[in-house]
């Protein structure tokens, strides 16, 4: 009740407000907003002068409807200091009643005499003015009044509406001493206002009944007049036909003119509706609509339900969208015969044009809400959803719509404070030159604006007349004048509320219709905003999750490629619009200056697909590090996917995961020394090969089963790639599109690739521009590699007989070759390393034995033999004569390993071209006899 705070009372809060202090925590939102509006209007607490008007409709429909209710209220509050008043829609008091007769003599004239206007713009914060401004039940207690003269009083006020139009007809207000505050008064005033509204509705239905009787009286005067409506069974119309005719009849009545309208019904039938003027004996003017059938033997008419005349509530009238649902029942009599060529007419609807307008407006609102359910939220994009709200509302509800969203919502987060960091997401209207803040920019709103009041209170704010809205004008007076110059005159500000959060604000402006927005418009705008807010929140949550998954996906993809000279590469990764998937690519340097190129795809989208992709990429890199051939790498990946699938399916009941649906992969190894590329694929798209002459081919590569099926072998294929060839690897999102023919897409890809002299980066750009669909439905990974060849002058090969005594000759040849390459400083370590590898191959391997040096970014030493036995690094005991050879190899090289070939194995070691600091070859290495090192 009133102002409640632990450290400040109502009077102190009011004084602090007028001194310019902050009182948000101590004052109720509606009261504070009213104080701010009153101050902006230039009102003074000690000088609120109320205008007095004499043009009061003291015998109007509102006073007549309220008379018995006011009598009962006066009797209820007998002998109590209760002031009961009825005001019109302007806030002018029409009638006052008092619980104690002497109260009228004690009160000043403004509180006892009808005619004074209590609108907020004159009286500041008070019951009647606040009820009109807030358009709902409002209570003002003591110091909450703006005027000082009202500080000792309290009041409760509630709007009284016309239930047909939703328009506020007046205000019912209780005034009483502050000490008599009682929460039960809210219930009493609500019921009293409801009774007045019901009596207003009965007045409307009474007028309709009078029009209906006048129509039947006129029909009886005709020679063949028949006041009885046709039977439903004989009409030939089902309920759908009747609804169509009633809707068209309501439109005719709302037009207020005599007219004829041909209505098409399902099945090719046509019915003509005629609207005819009708006047009741009391002078009520309206229209009656008849259905006229051109065929002689057909009787099509809308048959109302045979019930008593309507005197009921608004739900029945508005729900059926008709102006009368029943007619007095006349005694049955046979229908009068009609002459050939004459039309048979049956009554469809009767009513007043104004009431018909309400029925048409109600139906159109329902149609707009139905359309909004299908138009708003078609995508999971925040800005697009806000745009759909604006497009739905213009022009059927508003002429201009703006939507402002916090920056946090735009990036997918929950807004900590929706009143800060607002950005104009959408500006949409019937014309593009209205000077609202443009879309995309930041919007800094002042606390007095209707939009910020709306966000702060989480309630819809209606400004019927923007020219009299100082808070809105104060935001930017120059822009306000320009907007008003475009005939914009009324505003509804609606908060976008979803799941208890304020996600932004939608502002609806009216320009073409001179009538201001009303309560029905507020309800419609709020319903549209509520639906849009749910969709915006869904889009926001999706944006956040998409950003998280995309960040994970990109973190799992290569951030950069290791340095190597075998291929020059460029790549692209494009996530699908519907969500991030499991596409990946990789470039892995291998021993012997070779390089592995990998492209894969995990079926599905979302976090699970991205995580699975990370697992497979890591596994593929690990298997590649073991120098396995492509088919063996795919076999190991196949086993891994099957194992992951079984593990996740086994825990699906608790984890919610359903396993890996499938994955594909293409693995290729290119050797720049032989210019050969060995490839294998597991259900993946074949690569594209661009020859140096510009020829584009898609190699016939065995498909292989997708990963995870298990038990099926993979096959490899070897291709010769001349220097300058381009190998293009991609995922199926690039070429598979429901809206495009597959062969057409391949032809587009072929044309985009047919430029061999282009760098890979330019090739990637051309493929994206020419082939990638405008709205990708699946992830796309693209990897372009242009091949290079290792200069034959940088390759040295020696065949070594199985004789340890001949190792020294190879050592001499190696020293000479290193001198030729300008690598004399590496001769000592290289001779020692090759001696260890060659001696081991001679003693424990088999022929043929070969030594090879590769001079690239590093110096690679290789010794191959025909044996498949692999050496192992171990720690030799102090008494062992051998076992230290591989330890020396590991110390002298930056990396070493073994790879297997169809004819045996290759032991390789890579030496940096510059000796690493801190690596000192001790004297015990120099003194070693290279030819007599014990076997490893």
């Amino acid at each position: 009740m009133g102002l409640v705070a632990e450290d400040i009372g109502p009077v102190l809060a009011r004084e602090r407000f007028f001194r310019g202090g902050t009182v948000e925590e101590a004052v109720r939102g509606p009261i504070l907003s009213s104080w701010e509006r009153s101050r902006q209007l230039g009102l003074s607490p000690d000088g609120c002068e109320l205008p007095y008007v004499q043009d009061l409709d003291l015998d109007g429909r509102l006073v007549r409807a309220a008379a018995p209710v006011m009598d009962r209220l006066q009797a209820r509050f007998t002998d109590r200091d209760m002031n009961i008043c009825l005001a019109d829609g302007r806030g002018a008091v029409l009638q006052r009643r008092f619980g104690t007769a002497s109260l009228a003599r004690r009160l000043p004239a403004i509180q006892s005499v009808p005619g004074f206007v209590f609108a907020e713009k004159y009286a500041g914060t008070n019951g009647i003015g606040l009820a009109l401004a807030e358009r709902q039940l409002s209570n003002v207690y003591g110091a909450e009044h703006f005027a000082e003269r009202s500080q000792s009083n309290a009041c409760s006020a509630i709007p009284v509406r016309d239930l047909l139009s939703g328009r506020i007809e007046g205000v019912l207000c209780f005034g009483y001493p502050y000490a008599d505050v009682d929460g039960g008064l809210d219930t009493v005033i609500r019921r009293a206002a409801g009774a007045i509204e019901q009596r207003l509705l009965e007045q409307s239905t009474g007028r309709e009944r009078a029009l209906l009787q006048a129509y039947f009286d006129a029909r009886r005067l005709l020679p063949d007049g028949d006041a009885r409506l046709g039977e439903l069974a004989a009409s030939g119309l089902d309920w759908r036909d009747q609804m169509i005719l009633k809707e068209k009849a309501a439109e005719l009545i709302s037009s207020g003119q005599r007219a004829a309208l041909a209505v098409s019904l399902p099945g090719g039938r046509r019915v003509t509706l005629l609207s005819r003027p009708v006047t009741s004996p009391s002078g009520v003017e309206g229209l009656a609509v008849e259905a006229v059938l051109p065929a002689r033997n057909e009787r099509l008419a809308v048959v109302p339900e045979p019930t008593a005349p309507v005197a009921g509530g608004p739900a029945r009238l508005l729900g059926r969208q008709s102006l009368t649902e029943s007619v007095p029942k006349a005694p049955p009599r046979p229908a009068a015969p009609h002459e050939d060529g004459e039309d048979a007419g049956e009554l469809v609807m009767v009513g007043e044009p104004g009431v018909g307008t309400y029925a048409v407006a109600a139906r159109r609102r329902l149609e707009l809400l139905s359309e909004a359910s299908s138009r708003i939220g078609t995508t999971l994009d925040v800005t697009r959803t806000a745009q759909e709200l604006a497009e739905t509302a213009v022009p059927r509800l508003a002429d201009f719509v703006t939507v402002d969203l916090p920056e946090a919502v735009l990036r997918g987060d929950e807004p900590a404070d929706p009143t800060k960091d607002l950005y104009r997401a959408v500006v949409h209207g019937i014309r593009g030159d209205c000077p609202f803040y443009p879309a995309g920019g930041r919007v800094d709103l002042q606390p007095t604006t209707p939009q910020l009041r709306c966000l702060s209170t989480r309630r819809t704010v209606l400004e019927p007349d923007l020219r009299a809205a100082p808070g809105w004008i104060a935001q930017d007076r120059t822009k306000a004048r320009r907007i008003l110059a475009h005939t914009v005159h009324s505003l509804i500000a609606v908060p976008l509320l979803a799941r208890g959060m304020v996600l932004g604000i939608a502002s609806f402006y009216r320009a073409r219709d001179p009538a201001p927005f009303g309560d029905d418009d507020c309800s419609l705008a709020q319903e549209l905003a509520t639906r849009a807010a749910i969709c915006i929140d869904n889009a926001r949550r999706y944006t956040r999750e998409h950003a998280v998954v995309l960040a994970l996906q990109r973190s799992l993809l290569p951030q950069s490629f290791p340095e190597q000279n075998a291929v020059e590469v460029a790549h692209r990764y494009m996530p699908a619009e519907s969500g991030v998937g499991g596409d990946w690519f990789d470039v892995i340097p291998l021993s012997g200056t070779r390089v592995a190129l990998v492209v894969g795809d995990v079926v599905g989208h979302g976090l699970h697909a991205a995580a699975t992709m990370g697992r497979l990429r890591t596994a593929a890199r690990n298997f590649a590090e073991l120098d396995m051939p492509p088919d063996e790498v795919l076999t190991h990946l196949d086993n891994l996917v099957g194992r992951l699938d079984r593990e996740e399916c086994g825990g699906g009941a608790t984890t919610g995961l359903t396993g890996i649906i499938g994955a594909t992969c293409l693995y290729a190894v290119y050797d720049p020394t032989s210019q050969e590329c060995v490839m294998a694929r597991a259900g993946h798209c074949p690569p594209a090969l661009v020859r140096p002459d510009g020829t584009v081919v898609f190699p016939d590569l065995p498909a292989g089963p997708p990963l995870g099926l298990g038990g099926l072998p993979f096959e490899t294929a070897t291709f010769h790639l001349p220097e300058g060839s381009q190998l293009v690897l991609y995922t199926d999102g690039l070429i598979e599109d429901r809206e495009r023919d597959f062969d057409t897409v391949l032809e587009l890809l072929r044309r985009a690739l047919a430029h061999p002299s282009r760098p890979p980066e330019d090739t990637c750009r051309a493929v994206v521009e020419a082939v990638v669909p405008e709205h990708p439905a699946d992830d796309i990974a693209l990897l372009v590699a242009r091949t290079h060849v290792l200069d034959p002058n940088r390759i040295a090969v020696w065949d070594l007989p199985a004789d340890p005594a001949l190792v020294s000759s190879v050592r001499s040849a190696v020293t000479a070759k290193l001198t030729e390459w300008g690598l004399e400083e590496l001769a000592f370590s290289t001779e020692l390393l090759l001696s260890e590898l060659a001696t081991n191959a001679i003693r424990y391997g088999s022929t043929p034995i070969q030594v090879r040096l590769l001079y690239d970014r590093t110096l690679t030493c290789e010794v191959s033999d025909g044996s498949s036995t692999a050496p192992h690094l171990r720690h030799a005991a102090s008494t062992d004569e051998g076992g230290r050879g591989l330890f020396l190899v590991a110390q002298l090289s930056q990396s070493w390993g073994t790879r297997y070939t169809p004819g045996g194995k290759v032991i390789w070691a890579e030496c940096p071209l510059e000796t690493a600091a801190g690596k000192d070859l001790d004297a015990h290495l120099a003194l070693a006899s290279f030819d007599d090192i014990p076997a490893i």
Side-chain angles (χ1 to χ4, degrees):
M1 179 194 75
L3 302 173
V4 179
E6 296 180 358
D7 58 349
I8 188 172
V11 177
L12 292 178
R14 185 172 182 273
E15 292 178 355
R16 179 182 295 179
F17 171 80
F18 285 112
R19 290 198 305 265
T22 302
V23 294
E24 283 81 358
E25 300 298 328
V27 182
R28 292 185 292 136
I31 298 298
L32 181 58
S33 297
S34 180
W35 284 0
E36 291 173 343
R37 292 194 297 268
S38 300
R39 187 164 59 180
Q40 291 170 1
L41 288 167
L43 300 179
S44 174
D46 57 354
C48 291
E49 297 296 332
L50 305 186
Y52 179 80
V53 295
Q54 295 182 343
D55 58 334
L56 301 176
D57 189 2
L58 298 179
D59 192 33
R61 56 194 298 262
L62 176 61
V63 174
R64 293 197 307 272
V69 179
M70 298 287 284
D71 292 341
R72 289 194 60 185
L73 290 173
Q74 185 176 12
R76 180 186 181 98
F77 295 114
T78 300
D79 298 329
R80 293 186 59 179
D81 289 344
M82 180 65 70
N83 185 346
I84 310 161
C85 75
L86 178 71
D88 60 16
R90 299 173 298 175
V93 176
L94 299 174
Q95 191 177 103
R96 286 189 181 273
R97 303 289 184 92
F98 302 95
T100 301
S102 62
L103 187 61
R105 295 189 296 271
R106 300 199 310 264
L107 294 175
I110 62 171
Q111 294 181 344
S112 59
V113 178
F116 286 97
V117 181
F118 283 81
E120 191 180 64
K121 63 182 178 179
Y122 303 119
T125 307
N126 71 95
I128 294 176
L130 191 61
L132 288 173
E134 297 291 328
R135 312 183 76 82
Q136 63 179 355
L137 174 63
S138 300
N139 297 307
V140 183
Y141 305 111
E144 291 183 335
H145 286 87
F146 188 81
E148 291 182 355
R149 60 171 173 261
S150 302
Q151 299 301 294
S152 61
N153 300 327
C155 57
S156 301
I158 188 172
V160 177
R161 290 178 169 83
D162 184 331
L163 295 178
L164 286 176
S165 66
R167 184 178 62 242
I168 293 179
E169 295 290 334
V171 178
L172 180 64
C173 181
F174 293 170
Y176 45 90
Y178 184 47
D180 293 345
V181 170
D182 184 357
L185 290 177
D186 287 353
T187 302
V188 175
I189 199 170
R190 286 183 190 276
R191 292 178 177 175
I196 298 174
E197 291 172 346
Q198 187 65 33
R199 289 181 56 81
L200 286 172
L201 179 63
E202 291 174 358
Q203 290 179 8
S204 298
T205 56
R207 295 162 69 93
E208 289 182 13
R209 288 197 299 272
L211 286 174
L212 184 63
Q213 189 60 50
Y215 168 79
F216 284 125
D217 292 343
R219 287 290 299 265
R220 290 190 182 98
L221 297 178
L222 297 176
D224 59 347
D226 185 3
R228 179 184 59 82
L229 296 179
E231 296 297 330
L232 180 62
S235 70
L237 291 175
D238 59 18
W239 66 271
R240 297 179 183 84
D241 299 330
Q242 297 179 38
M243 288 301 298
I244 293 174
L245 292 180
K246 286 182 180 181
E247 290 177 358
K248 298 300 182 182
E251 293 179 359
L252 282 177
I253 292 176
S254 67
S255 68
Q257 297 180 354
R258 187 186 193 111
L261 177 66
V263 180
S264 299
L265 298 177
R269 296 168 298 162
R270 294 176 64 85
V271 174
T272 301
L273 296 181
L274 291 178
S275 63
R276 302 180 181 182
V278 179
T279 304
S280 71
S282 62
V284 177
E285 297 181 352
L287 291 174
V289 178
E290 297 176 331
V292 180
L293 304 173
R296 173 184 176 183
N297 296 325
E298 295 183 11
R299 289 182 57 83
L300 289 182
V302 176
V303 183
E305 300 173 3
T307 58
V310 172
R316 181 174 179 80
L317 288 172
L318 294 179
R320 293 291 298 272
Q321 298 181 357
S322 64
L323 305 179
T324 182
E325 291 291 341
S326 61
V327 294
K329 208 172 182 184
R333 50 172 285 191
H338 293 278
E339 305 263 344
D340 286 346
E342 290 186 358
D343 294 338
E346 301 293 350
L347 178 66
V348 177
M349 190 177 294
V350 64
E352 294 179 80
V355 180
T357 302
Y358 303 148
V360 172
R363 177 170 58 83
R364 289 176 177 170
R365 289 188 178 98
L366 291 175
E367 291 174 350
L368 181 58
L369 290 177
S370 176
E371 181 180 336
S373 63
S374 60
R375 289 188 62 181
I376 300 176
T378 59
T379 67
L380 287 172
D381 180 81
V382 173
T383 303
R384 179 57 196 161
T385 303
Q387 180 71 29
E388 290 168 346
L389 166 63
E391 292 173 352
T392 302
V394 175
R396 297 165 67 177
L397 171 62
D399 298 309
F400 298 95
V401 174
T402 65
V403 180
D404 302 325
L405 302 175
E407 183 185 14
V409 173
L410 293 173
R411 65 171 181 263
D413 297 331
E414 295 183 3
D417 186 352
T419 63
K420 297 180 179 178
D421 295 327
L422 284 173
Y423 281 80
R424 179 60 49 86
V426 172
V427 177
H428 183 68
I430 56 176
R431 48 192 291 188
D433 60 346
C434 200
F436 294 102
Y437 292 134
R442 181 166 177 165
V443 180
D444 295 318
L445 299 176
Q446 296 186 12
T448 58
T449 59
Q451 287 86 352
L452 210 59
R453 285 167 25 217
C454 170
L455 289 177
S456 302
T457 61
R458 298 189 171 196
R459 291 170 49 193
T460 300
V461 174
L462 170 63
E463 290 286 357
D465 187 1
L466 289 176
R467 292 165 296 185
W472 178 79
I473 295 175
Q475 170 67 25
D476 189 329
R477 295 185 179 276
T478 302
K479 275 191 174 295
R481 286 195 295 268
R482 293 173 60 191
I483 293 174
L484 293 173
H486 283 70
T487 69
V488 176
H489 60 85
S490 192
L491 163 67
I492 301 174
V494 187
L496 299 174
L497 293 170
R499 300 180 179 93
M501 289 186 301
V502 179
L503 301 177
I505 185 169
S507 301
F508 302 85
Y509 294 88
R510 175 170 286 179
R512 293 182 301 176
D513 188 347
F517 282 125
D519 287 327
D520 284 348
D521 299 313
C522 280
S523 299
L524 180 58
Q526 189 167 344
E527 182 68 25
L528 291 176
T530 299
R531 299 188 183 196
I534 296 296
C535 297
I536 288 175
D537 188 51
N538 291 336
R540 177 195 65 80
R541 292 154 65 95
Y542 170 80
T543 300
R544 180 187 60 192
E545 295 176 2
H546 184 268
V548 170
V549 177
L550 183 59
L552 173 64
Q553 169 83 336
R554 293 196 181 278
S555 69
L556 295 175
L557 291 173
Q559 305 304 308
S560 62
F561 292 131
E563 295 181 351
Q564 45 80 36
N565 291 337
V567 292
E568 178 186 355
V569 295
H571 61 89
R572 291 290 187 278
Y573 170 74
M574 288 154 285
E577 286 191 348
S578 59
V580 176
D583 293 16
W584 92 90
F585 56 89
D586 210 344
V587 176
I588 309 169
L590 302 177
S591 64
T593 69
R594 298 170 305 136
V595 65
L597 306 173
V598 192
V599 169
D601 182 7
V602 176
V603 177
H605 295 86
L607 188 62
H608 184 218
T612 302
M613 177 274 293
R615 286 174 164 183
L616 294 184
R617 177 176 173 252
T618 301
R621 177 170 281 271
N622 291 336
F623 296 144
E625 292 289 347
L626 297 176
D627 258 335
M628 294 179 178
D631 56 337
E632 292 188 22
V633 171
L634 294 183
T635 299
H636 285 287
L637 288 176
D638 180 52
N639 294 335
L640 174 64
V641 171
R643 184 163 57 254
L644 293 176
D645 198 31
R646 290 190 297 272
E647 291 174 356
E648 293 181 356
C649 287
T654 57
T655 63
L657 299 176
T658 57
I660 301 172
I661 300 175
T664 64
C665 183
L666 172 62
Y667 189 92
V669 175
Y670 171 69
D671 188 347
T673 64
S674 62
Q675 303 181 45
E676 288 188 346
C677 183
V678 182
M679 291 183 268
R681 63 185 177 123
H684 201 82
C685 308
L689 178 59
V690 185
R691 302 288 185 185
D693 61 357
T695 304
V696 180
V697 296
F698 297 92
D700 186 13
L701 182 62
L707 300 177
L709 296 183
L712 298 176
F714 298 96
E715 300 180 50
T716 61
T718 303
F719 302 92
H720 181 75
L721 302 184
E723 184 174 13
S725 300
Q726 288 192 357
L727 188 62
V728 182
L729 286 67
Y730 51 88
T731 55
D732 57 3
L734 179 67
I735 58 174
E736 293 183 2
D737 186 2
R738 295 179 181 178
E739 300 180 357
R740 300 186 299 178
D741 180 70
F742 182 77
D743 293 335
T744 302
V745 177
L746 282 184
E747 183 59 30
L748 291 175
L749 179 60
R750 188 190 305 274
R751 293 178 182 176
L753 295 176
H755 300 275
S757 59
R758 238 175 1 203
E761 184 64 32
D762 293 344
T763 301
C764 278
R765 186 179 304 109
V767 170
V768 170
E769 294 175 354
V771 185
V772 173
E774 184 177 357
H775 302 286
D778 194 6
D779 283 22
I780 298 174
L782 175 65
L783 183 65
V784 178
R786 183 162 66 178
T787 63
H788 296 293
V789 175
L790 184 60
D791 187 350
N793 294 326
R794 291 196 171 198
I795 304 174
V797 180
W798 297 274
D799 292 324
L800 181 63
D803 185 356
L806 299 179
V807 172
S808 59
S809 61
V810 174
R811 187 169 62 245
S812 301
V814 167
T815 301
K817 180 57 71 174
L818 293 178
T819 302
E820 178 184 338
W821 288 343
L823 302 177
E824 296 89 345
E825 68 277 6
L826 297 179
F828 176 77
S829 59
T830 304
E831 290 178 10
L832 177 59
L833 189 150
L834 277 175
S835 296
E836 290 293 335
L837 297 181
T839 302
N840 186 72
I842 292 172
R843 292 185 176 180
Y844 295 99
S846 60
T847 57
I849 301 173
Q850 190 178 76
V851 176
R852 187 169 72 156
L853 285 183
L854 303 176
Y855 176 22
D856 194 33
R857 289 181 177 270
T858 60
L859 181 65
T860 303
C861 306
E862 296 182 347
V863 176
S864 62
D865 66 84
S867 170
S868 59
T869 304
H872 297 282
L873 182 66
R874 66 184 180 87
H875 288 281
S878 59
T879 57
D880 290 344
E881 295 184 358
R884 300 177 180 84
L886 281 185
F887 180 78
L888 297 178
V889 171
Q891 293 297 311
L892 292 171
S893 62
Q894 67 179 12
S895 61
W896 71 278
T898 304
R899 70 172 181 270
Y900 295 92
T901 63
K905 68 177 182 297
V906 176
I907 303 177
W908 56 270
E910 292 183 357
C911 300
L913 296 183
E914 294 181 1
T915 303
K919 282 201 173 184
D920 183 17
L921 298 179
D922 295 333
H924 72 277
L925 294 179
L927 297 175
S929 175
F930 298 153
D931 295 336
D932 299 323
I933 292 179
I936 300 173

